Amino acid sequence: MKLLFSCSLLLFITAACLCGSAATRKLRGISSSYKRFYRERRSFLCIDGSRVIPFEQVNDDYCDCEDGSDEPGTSACPRGRFYCTNLGFRPHYIPSSRVNDGICDCCDASDEYNSHARCQNSCWNLGQRERAYVEGQMRTLDEGLQLKQQLIEEGVLLWREKQAQLRELQQALEAGDTRVRGQNSSESTFRLLDSNKDGSLSVEELQEKLVLVQEEELLLSEEEAVALMGGGRQMDLPMFQHSLWDVLNTENRVKIRGIVDAEDPHLKAADTAAEREASSLKKVEEAYDTINMEISDLRKKLAIDYGPDWEFLFLNSQCYQLNVY
């Protein structure tokens, strides 16, 4: 009786061990997300739904399913995949053809469970190196974010500075424009022609200061000067603005002379004053053009996309060197 009980107990333990090893064999090479397809039961449905097979044929080293899902832990199926758990490192899949081929593909050595290869579990060391690399990358990222914040602050200040500079230039442009118009006004031209500064123009003054432009410059005759004055011999400022000023500005047949009689002190003084006014006007016009160019350049710079927070504005017009290894 005791002998029979001992034999029965031994058979039960052996069967339990065999069932446990079979279950372990069948679950090899499966990720946790797929384990629900491999629960112990009478039959197994291929994951692609193409076929139903007895559960005993799972991981039996014979390919029954077209998608290779019945052999996740062997190299029987050409389309099969083996899941490396790689605890402590990154899990990944390998082609099932690499299972038990004598080469260690999984860092936890799970792919060579039945081969002559002696694989060491290197997942922890690999994981440590990767974690150190990621930590280094995070430190670099943190430093980059701090630098970006500095660039944003610098960019905002520079943007405000350039906006203020633009406003100042626009104000200077308006002032220069007014000055240019003033320098080039009818009053200035009238004063230039009024050699004796008596507040009116005479026929003689027009003959002295104006020339006819044809193939060459010709002195005005008395009749031509009288005609330009509307038939009179004197012309005040209002009359000049409504007649001769338009002729000088819109017609090319009459212009102001550039040379005067050096022996006449009055004409010489008037010519000197005219030269000073012309020089002053030229300087004003040059300053006006310079301000216009500065405004144009500044507007072009401000129109560039320097990032949503102007973080790249501070880098504008600066040179950098990048070494790529």
Side-chain angles (χ1 to χ4, degrees), residues 288-300:
Y288 182 83
D289 292 339
T290 300
I291 292 174
N292 252 326
M293 290 176 60
E294 290 179 0
I295 288 177
S296 177
D297 291 342
L298 191 55
R299 281 176 173 165
K300 288 179 181 177

Side-chain angles (χ1 to χ4, degrees), residues 251-286:
E251 300 182 16
N252 296 323
R253 62 188 181 89
V254 180
K255 73 173 188 176
I256 299 174
R257 291 178 62 186
I259 302 175
V260 299
D261 186 358
E263 301 300 326
D264 189 332
H266 296 290
L267 294 180
K268 187 174 181 180
D271 187 59
T272 302
E275 288 179 356
R276 283 198 300 268
E277 286 199 30
S279 176
S280 176
L281 175 61
K282 184 177 181 181
K283 290 179 181 178
V284 171
E285 288 177 341
E286 288 176 351

Side-chain angles (χ1 to χ4, degrees), residues 206 209-231 235 242-257:
L206 293 191
K209 288 295 184 73
L210 299 181
V211 292
L212 288 175
V213 179
Q214 296 177 358
E215 293 182 356
E216 57 182 354
E217 294 183 1
L218 301 175
L219 298 177
L220 288 176
S221 66
E222 183 176 349
E223 292 78 10
E224 290 168 335
V226 170
L228 288 174
M229 299 184 74
M235 177 179 285
H242 290 90
S243 57
L244 186 53
W245 171 245
D246 293 332
V247 173
L248 293 174
N249 275 281
T250 59
E251 300 182 16
N252 296 323
R253 62 188 181 89
V254 180
K255 73 173 188 176
I256 299 174
R257 291 178 62 186

Side-chain angles (χ1 to χ4, degrees), residues 70-86:
D70 65 308
E71 298 297 319
T74 74
S75 58
C77 296
R79 298 174 57 189
R81 297 189 307 167
F82 183 89
Y83 182 76
C84 303
T85 304
N86 293 345

Side-chain angles (χ1 to χ4, degrees), residues 138-237:
M138 293 299 295
R139 285 194 297 270
T140 302
L141 177 61
D142 185 58
E143 293 171 359
L145 291 174
Q146 292 179 12
L147 178 59
K148 180 180 178 181
Q149 185 60 39
Q150 293 176 5
L151 291 176
I152 289 174
E153 294 172 1
E154 294 285 350
V156 170
L157 291 175
L158 194 56
W159 179 267
R160 292 174 180 171
E161 179 183 322
K162 289 188 178 294
Q163 289 285 2
Q165 183 182 357
L166 179 60
R167 287 193 295 270
E168 291 174 1
L169 287 173
Q170 287 173 334
Q171 292 172 359
L173 182 65
E174 292 173 3
D177 187 43
T178 302
R179 190 175 177 189
V180 167
R181 289 197 301 269
Q183 288 284 347
N184 200 29
S185 65
S186 59
E187 291 93 338
S188 177
T189 304
F190 183 85
R191 289 194 300 271
L192 178 63
L193 297 176
D194 186 14
S195 301
N196 58 10
K197 307 304 177 187
D198 64 350
S200 66
L201 301 180
S202 65
V203 172
E204 291 75 16
E205 285 173 329
L206 293 191
Q207 287 181 283
E208 293 166 357
K209 288 295 184 73
L210 299 181
V211 292
L212 288 175
V213 179
Q214 296 177 358
E215 293 182 356
E216 57 182 354
E217 294 183 1
L218 301 175
L219 298 177
L220 288 176
S221 66
E222 183 176 349
E223 292 78 10
E224 290 168 335
V226 170
L228 288 174
M229 299 184 74
R233 300 192 67 86
Q234 294 288 332
M235 177 179 285
D236 58 11
L237 179 58

